[in-house]
Amino acid sequence: MREVALRLGLSPRRVKQLKKAYRERGEAAVMHGNSDRPPANRTAEGLAELITALKKSEPYKDTNFAHFRELLAEREGVSISYSALCRILKSAGLESKRGRRNEGRSFKRRARRKAEGELLQADASSYDWFGTGARCALHGFIDDTTGKITGLYFCLNECLMGYLEALRRTLLDYGIPL
């Protein structure tokens, strides 16, 4: 038993179980219980052809796979996983349309500065901050190293006065930056 278990890479207990099952049921005992059964998650008959034909048709030919999957569920009532859809369409020789936003460009993240006060970043954001329907601009300075906000100032619009006032508050509270 031990030698058989070693050669098969099984435990002696499992070999004992298989031996008993072989005596009772014959060769069928050694086969996996799910053999000769269709998988529960298989794609329905004809669905692959339908999906491929729809993807090649006019309203869907310019969509990427993710958008096409959403449209299938919404318009055609076909629910399928993204990976199954990709497998079907790629096996039919179709490729997903790619976005053009970041093609050919790659941006490296800039390393933060080493010392506090070495670099201050300034920006302003125009928004209805008080919920009155009137927009105003929030001007701000932030330290690059610590992420600490050093000065804020509200103004009617983004302007030099707003930045200078936020800078004045930074200078009073934190001193002159490097």
Side-chain angles (χ1 to χ4, degrees):
M1 284 284 206
R2 285 187 189 143
E3 188 178 332
V4 171
L6 275 172
R7 287 190 180 206
L8 293 177
L10 300 172
S11 69
R13 181 178 177 185
R14 180 68 182 136
V15 171
K16 215 177 200 181
Q17 290 171 344
L18 287 172
K19 186 177 171 184
K20 181 181 175 189
Y22 181 77
R23 278 194 205 122
E24 292 172 1
R25 294 183 291 162
E27 292 175 1
V30 189
M31 292 178 56
H32 192 277
N34 284 338
S35 60
D36 295 333
R37 289 188 195 165
N41 62 348
R42 76 172 180 189
T43 308
E45 192 72 32
L47 186 60
E49 292 80 19
L50 173 68
I51 288 173
T52 306
L54 284 171
K55 178 66 173 125
K56 290 178 180 178
S57 69
E58 186 56 42
Y60 302 117
K61 70 178 183 179
D62 291 329
T63 61
N64 63 26
F65 288 177
H67 188 214
F68 178 59
R69 180 176 170 264
E70 292 170 7
L71 292 174
L72 275 177
E74 184 181 305
R75 295 181 183 171
E76 309 295 332
V78 175
S79 180
I80 188 168
S81 71
Y82 181 78
S83 57
L85 179 78
C86 282
R87 181 179 40 78
I88 290 168
L89 294 176
K90 284 182 179 179
S91 68
L94 298 170
E95 292 294 322
S96 184
K97 302 284 183 193
R98 295 187 53 157
R100 295 186 185 98
R101 245 182 251 171
N102 291 330
E103 280 184 20
R105 285 198 256 166
S106 64
F107 297 100
K108 289 184 182 176
R109 292 187 66 85
R110 178 184 58 77
R112 286 184 177 250
R113 297 299 169 119
K114 297 199 183 343
E116 186 174 351
E118 196 174 337
L119 174 68
L120 292 180
Q121 296 180 354
D123 198 8
S125 179
S126 181
Y127 182 73
D128 180 11
W129 292 101
F130 304 108
T132 61
R135 295 172 73 91
C136 63
L138 175 63
H139 297 73
F141 279 80
I142 187 168
D143 183 80
D144 184 65
T145 303
T146 62
K148 193 185 305 179
I149 296 172
T150 59
L152 295 172
Y153 185 73
F154 280 107
C155 214
L156 286 177
N157 52 17
E158 185 175 358
C159 61
L160 179 61
M161 189 198 90
Y163 284 111
L164 291 176
E165 185 57 34
L167 178 61
R168 185 179 74 78
R169 291 180 184 197
T170 296
L171 295 175
L172 288 175
D173 294 342
Y174 294 94
I176 300 172
L178 183 65

